[in-house]
Amino acid sequence: MRLGTRATYSMVLGVLIAALLPAAVGAIERLPTFDEIYQSRHADDLTAWGRRYERGVGVAQDAKKATMLYCKAAAKGDREAKFYLGQLLAFGRGIERDKDLAAAWLHAAAAAGDERSRSMLMVLDVGDAPTRAAVCPLDAGGRVTRIASRPHPARGAIADLVRRLAPNYGLDPDLVLAVIETESNFNPSARSPKNAQGLMQLIPATAARFGVEDTWDPEQNIRGGMAYLSWLLKHFDGDVELALAGYNAGEGAVERHGGVPPYRETRNYVSRIIARIN
C-alpha cells in the first residue's frame, strides 16, 4: 500500500527520533559531576568549567564552585583563571568583594601576559605592586585544622608572623613552623643548590605561581609557601604526608608514584617534619 507524503514524513521522522533519542539521553547522562570535573589535571578544562559554573551555562550557576575550579587552575599556572579570579573578587560576583586580593590575582595574571588584567588594574587604581599574596579566597576564612599534636618551640619575629598569618590560609601554624625549620632553619637568606630561596625555600616558578614578587622578603616568602602548602593539602585531600612530599618533590612526583616518592631526600624530609609535630 502506498503511503501519502504526510504519512511517509511522519514515519521517517519517527524513525529518526527513535534512533537519535537514546544518543541524546546518553549525552545528557554523560555530563560530568562537579567532583569529576574538579579531579581534572588540565588547567584549561578547569577554567572552562569554571566559566560555565560562574555564568550558569548548562549547569546551575554557582560562584563557589567556579571559584574552586579557578583556584585549582590558577595554582597550575593558568593565567585565564587568575584573571577570572581577580574579576570575581573585584566586583564581588557571588563571593565577597576583596579589592586587595583581586589586585593580587590581576597582578599575577598580568605578569603572565594577560592584557585584560593590566587594563583592569588601571581601572581599579591599586598601585604598581600587590599588597598581599594571591591566595584562593576560599582559603582565607581563618578556619584552621589542627595537625600538630604539640606546639613548635620557635619564638621571635618570624614565629610571630607565622602564627598571625597561618589562619588566613587555614593552616596549623605549628606545621608551617616545622616546614620552615626543615627548609631553611629560619634563615631568610637561605638559598639551596637548586635555587630554592628564603624561609620556605621557594623556587622561582613556585614563587611566580603564587604571586610572590620578592622571595627574599620574609612575609612574601611565608605567604607564598603557605599558599602552596594549603593548596597541596586540599589537592591531596588533607593527607599531610603527601602534601609534605609534594612540597619537597612537587605534586607531579607524588602523583606519578602514587604516594610519597621513593627519593631518600623526600622520605627523610617528610619523616623529619612528622616527628617534629607529633
Side-chain angles (χ1 to χ4, degrees), residues 2 11 39 45 82 104 112 119 125 156 168 173 178 189 191 200 213 217 240 270:
R2 183 177 181 181
M11 180 182 292
Q39 293 305 313
D45 288 343
K82 294 175 183 179
S119 299
D125 190 24
N168 296 329
S189 300
R191 185 197 294 265
M200 297 195 75
E213 294 197 344
D217 177 86
V240 178
V270 172

Side-chain angles (χ1 to χ4, degrees), residues 207-228:
R209 176 177 169 184
F210 290 96
V212 177
E213 294 197 344
D214 182 2
T215 54
W216 303 112
D217 177 86
E219 181 167 340
Q220 286 194 43
N221 189 288
I222 288 170
R223 285 184 179 277
M226 289 196 296
Y228 185 32

Side-chain angles (χ1 to χ4, degrees), residues 23-268:
V25 171
I28 294 173
E29 290 175 347
R30 286 195 296 273
L31 188 69
T33 66
F34 175 78
D35 288 339
E36 290 171 338
I37 294 165
Y38 190 74
Q39 293 305 313
S40 174
R41 297 180 182 178
H42 302 288
D44 52 350
D45 288 343
L46 293 165
T47 299
W49 277 102
R51 288 293 280 166
R52 292 183 65 171
Y53 275 101
E54 180 185 348
R55 297 184 293 178
V57 178
V59 294
Q61 191 171 22
D62 192 319
K64 183 177 179 180
K65 287 181 177 178
T67 302
M68 289 174 66
L69 293 167
Y70 289 151
C71 286
K72 187 172 182 180
K76 291 178 177 291
D78 188 80
R79 73 180 186 186
E80 292 278 306
K82 294 175 183 179
F83 167 73
Y84 292 132
L85 275 172
Q87 192 176 59
L88 277 174
L89 288 158
F91 299 107
R93 295 179 177 173
I95 60 175
E96 184 176 352
R97 187 172 184 268
D98 188 328
K99 187 176 178 181
D100 290 338
L101 187 54
W105 279 114
L106 292 170
H107 274 293
D114 188 82
E115 294 297 331
R116 297 165 301 174
S117 295
R118 292 193 177 95
S119 299
M120 187 172 289
L121 285 166
M122 294 177 65
V123 172
L124 292 176
D125 190 24
V126 288
D128 297 329
T131 59
R132 56 187 296 192
V135 299
C136 182
L138 301 179
D139 296 343
R143 296 176 298 276
V144 177
T145 300
R146 297 295 301 177
I147 292 173
S149 59
R150 58 192 177 98
H152 195 283
R155 295 290 181 269
I158 291 173
D160 291 344
L161 186 63
V162 169
R163 293 189 175 100
R164 176 169 61 85
L165 295 176
N168 296 329
Y169 298 83
L171 291 174
D172 184 337
D174 294 309
L175 171 64
V176 178
L177 289 169
V179 170
I180 293 175
E181 179 184 25
T182 303
E183 289 286 351
S184 66
N185 199 27
F186 297 95
N187 178 7
S189 300
R191 185 197 294 265
S192 80
K194 295 181 180 179
N195 200 30
Q197 301 168 5
L199 288 165
M200 297 195 75
Q201 291 290 276
L202 302 178
I203 61 172
T206 302
R209 176 177 169 184
F210 290 96
V212 177
E213 294 197 344
D214 182 2
T215 54
W216 303 112
D217 177 86
E219 181 167 340
Q220 286 194 43
N221 189 288
I222 288 170
R223 285 184 179 277
M226 289 196 296
Y228 185 32
L229 184 58
S230 177
W231 181 88
L232 286 165
L233 282 164
K234 289 176 175 60
H235 185 67
F236 292 115
D237 299 320
D239 190 309
V240 178
E241 291 193 3
L242 294 185
L244 292 172
Y247 196 95
N248 177 262
E251 65 267 20
V254 177
E255 291 164 354
R256 285 194 303 274
H257 291 282
V260 177
Y263 313 145
R264 179 179 297 177
E265 176 192 331
T266 301
R267 295 199 167 183
N268 289 342

